[in-house]
Amino acid sequence: MNDDHQTPLVGVLSLQGAFREHRRALERTGARTREVRRRRQLEGLDALVIPGGESTTIGKLMVEYDLLEAVRGLGREGMPILGTCAGLVLLAGAVVGGEQPLVGLMDIEARRNAFGRQVHSFEAELELPLLDGKPFPGVFIRAPWIESAGPGVEVLATHAGHAVAAREGNLLVTAFHPELTADVRLHGLFLEMVAGRHPAGTA
Amino acid sequence: MRAMKIGTMTVKSGLAEMLKGGVIMDVTDAGQARIAEEAGAVAVMALERVPSDIRAAGGVARMADPEKIREIQETVSIPVMAKARIGHFVEAQILEALEVDYIDESEVLTPADEAHHIDKWRFKVPFVCGAINLGEALRRIAEGAAMIRTKGEAGTGNVVEAVRHMRAITGEIRRLAGMDQAELSAAAKDLRAPLELVKWVAENGRLPVVNFSAGGLATPADAALMMQLGADGVFVGSGIFKSEDPAARGKAIVEATTHYDDPEILARVSTGLKEAMAGMDIREIGEENLLQHRGW
């Protein structure tokens, strides 16, 4: 329908969670989007978002519908992937004390519900030097943090001494929910990674 | 470190946003909680008895024993919800102290106050409340509810009331969309809801918080039906653990909720599930025994 080849097509994994909010943020930032529930819907995408939700639920459904291996393969080929909250957990190479299906592309270890149960969920302003200007509104909901990261991982933001946003090559993760705010700068940063992929990329 | 804010409406309603497209399952012990998580539930509701047993047992139904709630919290990594009686703000205080992730101020339990619901703004734990129509949903949101669920008729295994309530809410929202300011003021009066919320709904074409379906869902097709009617997700109470094979039925309902508009998948997951819970005809229950009329 849209034959503008300059406009990237971003898939949003839509098995469960806040996928509509990611679509809205991406469309406001100038991308086309597609909901992904079946493997065939991965075809022709320029990038993928794994949204917040329950990582155990999303992981099980990814296994059941043959998406886990497929997404891992696309990530290895260099497709830009953004993971928020549950998406961070699913992209992590390991989860502290947990056994659950993971895409496992990134050289980080995630700790689930690291800040505590829901009564400890919070909002906090974050310093994100990669983004111009004012602090970023961090919405943390039963959020994970990055317990440890390999040498190739660039930590983009911390809160209370814990890494809560990071980038490694084509992968971008946040422990918080940019899709629940009106601030689309992180989605903009992700789309820059998508645009940069074809010339050379930054990684 | 910069200032942190806890218990804001953004983080309260935000957790409900993360549960969308998912299934919240009633469980009565750690064993059931494990089965629910394994089946792919996005959260569990910790209860003393499932609604069909509450209905059968009669008497006063209250908040679950904290020991039971703790046992379930220790067993699963997904959010744990628990029910408080309508208006029973001390049960809610106890549940907040236990750090449950959501409180359901629920008509399934025996109401503790026949005029007032809990003032939910006073809590940092979020609340979900039942509603049978738009006015009730907006009154609960005005009291601080961060999530709504249509009531249906719990413990019946009959989806008809869930359908009635979802259609009532979506129909009323559509009706508001065509109204001018004067009509909206009149509508707010009819709905017994704050004008500001009524205006917001008219402008945005939806509730300001997530709206799940509950009460009487028993099959994958029931879950998909409610999703196609506009639910953001589903609660399944007695429907799973009162069926013959809860693990298989739970998993099938999870898949049906995700793939609610894919009849090919719905056909596959509906196949060979053994017996569903026995259902009840709503007319046989008697008007005075309907749980959905609790709440004001």
Side-chain angles (χ1 to χ4, degrees), chain A residues 88 128 146 154-158 162-167 173-176:
Chain A
L88 178 153
L128 247 152
I146 298 169
E154 180 190 2
V155 172
L156 303 179
T158 61
H162 301 285
V164 293
R167 184 164 66 167
V173 293
T174 68
F176 49 93

Side-chain angles (χ1 to χ4, degrees), chain B residues 59 107 263:
Chain B
E107 72 283 0

Side-chain angles (χ1 to χ4, degrees), chain B residues 6 15 18-19 55 66 73 76 84 90 103 105 107 110 138 165 179 193 195 212 224 236 249 259 265 281 289:
Chain B
I6 60 168
L15 177 54
M18 296 309 137
L19 301 175
R55 202 177 267 291
Q73 285 174 316
V76 295
V90 174
I103 295 175
E105 185 182 19
E107 72 283 0
T110 310
L138 295 179
H165 301 158
M179 292 187 181
L195 177 58
F212 270 46
V236 184
R249 183 166 295 269
H259 298 285
I265 290 179
D281 189 319
N289 294 321

